[in-house]
Amino acid sequence: MLLVVTYSRAARTSLRNACRTHDETVVRRFGRAALLDDTHHGAFLALRLVEKHGTDVHVELTRPLNEFVDVPDAVREAARAYETRESPSTPYHAFVRGTDHPSPSTLREREL
């Protein structure tokens, strides 16, 4: 997918208009950003915005996260255990003490 982020009012207006006109290419809208299909049409729409608004538009090529392929089991298990903890007010760093779950610093250091 293509992530299009706008940084000015004029660029946001153009993005909104492009999304309304070409909704078949829009995966999702987020106000000042949108995800477009990674097709030639999506690239055309994104590059039109760049041509019109220059540095007020940023485009990134993204890919969806497949949690079962991209994320290690330990991270998925830690997320599941943390969300089902007995005390919802316990912060993660306190929750993982004395467990095999990865520490917050370990999670921050490792890339997917």
Side-chain angles (χ1 to χ4, degrees):
M1 288 181 277
L2 298 171
L3 173 64
V4 180
V5 181
T6 58
Y7 297 104
S8 70
R9 184 179 303 228
R12 282 193 302 276
T13 299
S14 293
L15 176 64
R16 182 178 57 247
N17 291 341
C19 288
R20 285 181 181 162
T21 306
H22 305 284
D23 65 335
E24 71 282 354
T25 303
V26 178
V27 176
R28 184 126 190 235
R29 282 197 50 216
F30 303 99
R32 42 177 85 231
L35 285 171
L36 304 179
D37 281 334
D38 57 349
T39 61
H40 287 196
H41 189 246
F44 173 77
L45 293 175
L47 293 177
R48 276 186 55 209
L49 292 168
V50 170
E51 286 298 318
K52 184 173 184 177
H53 300 286
T55 58
D56 285 345
V57 176
H58 182 79
V59 181
E60 289 282 334
L61 183 61
T62 66
R63 63 180 177 85
L65 175 72
N66 181 334
E67 69 177 273
F68 301 103
V69 174
D70 300 327
V71 180
D73 291 340
V75 175
R76 284 197 320 275
E77 291 167 9
R80 187 177 305 114
Y82 184 61
E83 283 307 309
T84 59
R85 66 195 182 276
E86 290 181 21
S87 177
S89 61
T90 303
Y92 184 73
H93 66 81
F95 171 78
V96 297
R97 260 188 240 128
T99 71
D100 292 335
H101 298 302
S103 69
S105 61
T106 300
L107 291 173
R108 281 188 211 92
E109 294 166 359
R110 295 188 181 155
E111 293 186 17
L112 290 180

